[in-house]
Amino acid sequence: MQALTSFFKRKILRIDRDRWNYQYDKGLWDGLKGLDELARFSVIVGYIKFLKPGQPEILEIGCGEGFLQQRLQTQNYGRFVAFDISDSAIKNAQAQADEKCTYLVADMDKYAPAGQFDMIVFNESIYYSKHPLKTLQRFATYLKANGLLIVTINDHKHSDALWQSIKDGFELMDEATTVTTKSTCVCKVLLPKGAKS
Ligand SMILES: C[S@@+](CC[C@H](N)C(=O)[O-])C[C@H]1O[C@@H](n2cnc3c(N)ncnc32)[C@H](O)[C@@H]1O
């Protein structure tokens, strides 16, 4: 009965949370922990350590199973808040979390975080917002003065259009492209327009 309900929600009602839970439970996203995904995490870790050394407060949106926090390591953040629409992913992330982490189940198109952050990261997740530019702009209001956004987008046939659609709201501070045996990923450090860093 549970399987039938899940099928109905995923396929008929197209409920995102059920779809993502199904995919995580089936192991369809296990590849994200692989060596061929390491480069894009390493670039983000490098940017965080270089641009916000010490104990930055970080918010990650669409965090999956928490691989960014695990790769960044506890000595490099003062607070790490992260959320994802999938309960299954968050359960796995929580299993690896420390006392400075808060993992939550939430939808990026609705959730309003508590407090402000030095860095807000969308790692392979902005595609899933219904309004990418609006979502980035809304979360940018939760940045501290001098706060920065980090966005990664995997190279695919819609990626240029997606970058184009969000470009007007932000200034580009830096970008790096990683190429692995699996994919090409562009990582950009963005400053809300009008903010000074
Ligand atoms: C390609 S995975 C990337 C996961 C993780 N950032 C990583 O790089 O390993 C995309 C993630 O976005 C999450 N997601 C999709 N729609 C979402 C939404 N509306 N709000 C929050 N998270 C969402 C999915 O559950 C999934 O974990």
Side-chain angles (χ1 to χ4, degrees):
M1 187 60 184
Q2 205 187 350
L4 193 63
T5 311
S6 160
F7 177 83
F8 187 71
K9 286 180 173 171
R10 277 186 290 117
K11 294 284 187 190
I12 314 292
L13 300 179
R14 296 188 171 274
I15 293 179
D16 283 349
R17 179 167 295 178
D18 289 272
R19 217 170 335 157
W20 283 103
N21 280 339
Y22 174 82
Q23 293 177 6
Y24 273 107
D25 290 343
K26 283 270 173 203
L28 302 183
W29 291 99
D30 282 356
L32 294 178
K33 59 176 89 128
L35 180 62
D36 48 14
E37 297 281 347
L38 180 65
R40 71 184 166 89
F41 287 106
S42 303
V43 166
I44 302 173
V45 167
Y47 275 136
I48 294 174
K49 287 166 75 173
F50 186 86
L51 294 166
K52 299 290 172 189
Q55 299 281 294
E57 297 190 82
I58 295 166
L59 174 66
E60 189 190 2
I61 293 162
C63 61
E65 296 175 284
F67 300 139
L68 178 62
Q69 171 256 316
Q70 293 155 31
R71 280 157 188 58
L72 182 59
Q73 301 185 318
T74 188
Q75 67 273 19
N76 295 309
Y77 53 81
R79 180 164 80 111
F80 199 104
V81 179
F83 72 87
D84 196 283
I85 201 162
S86 163
D87 324 52
S88 300
I90 289 299
K91 198 165 107 226
N92 293 340
Q94 272 164 341
Q96 304 288 324
D98 60 56
E99 69 288 350
K100 293 192 272 180
C101 301
T102 306
Y103 278 106
L104 305 158
V105 177
D107 181 343
M108 70 175 93
D109 287 326
K110 298 181 187 146
Y111 180 67
Q116 292 198 304
F117 300 88
D118 297 290
M119 283 270 188
I120 298 183
V121 182
F122 289 79
N123 186 13
E124 297 295 308
S125 61
I126 191 61
Y127 328 96
Y128 305 109
S129 169
K130 292 188 173 67
H131 312 284
L133 175 59
K134 270 197 210 159
T135 299
L136 289 171
Q137 286 176 321
R138 188 171 72 80
F139 278 102
T141 65
Y142 295 97
L143 286 171
K144 295 180 191 175
N146 303 323
L148 296 165
L149 284 168
I150 293 186
V151 180
T152 77
I153 295 179
N154 239 343
D155 211 17
H156 62 99
K157 64 180 177 184
H158 302 301
S159 48
D160 285 349
L162 184 53
W163 283 122
Q164 197 60 27
S165 75
I166 62 181
K167 145 178 154 307
D168 286 346
F170 298 91
E171 280 168 32
L172 179 67
M173 177 181 260
D174 195 44
E175 67 176 284
T177 299
T178 51
V179 181
T180 69
T181 47
K182 183 179 181 185
S183 58
T184 297
C185 184
V186 176
C187 176
K188 297 194 184 191
V189 182
L190 303 173
L191 198 60
K193 270 213 170 129
K196 288 253 181 306
S197 187

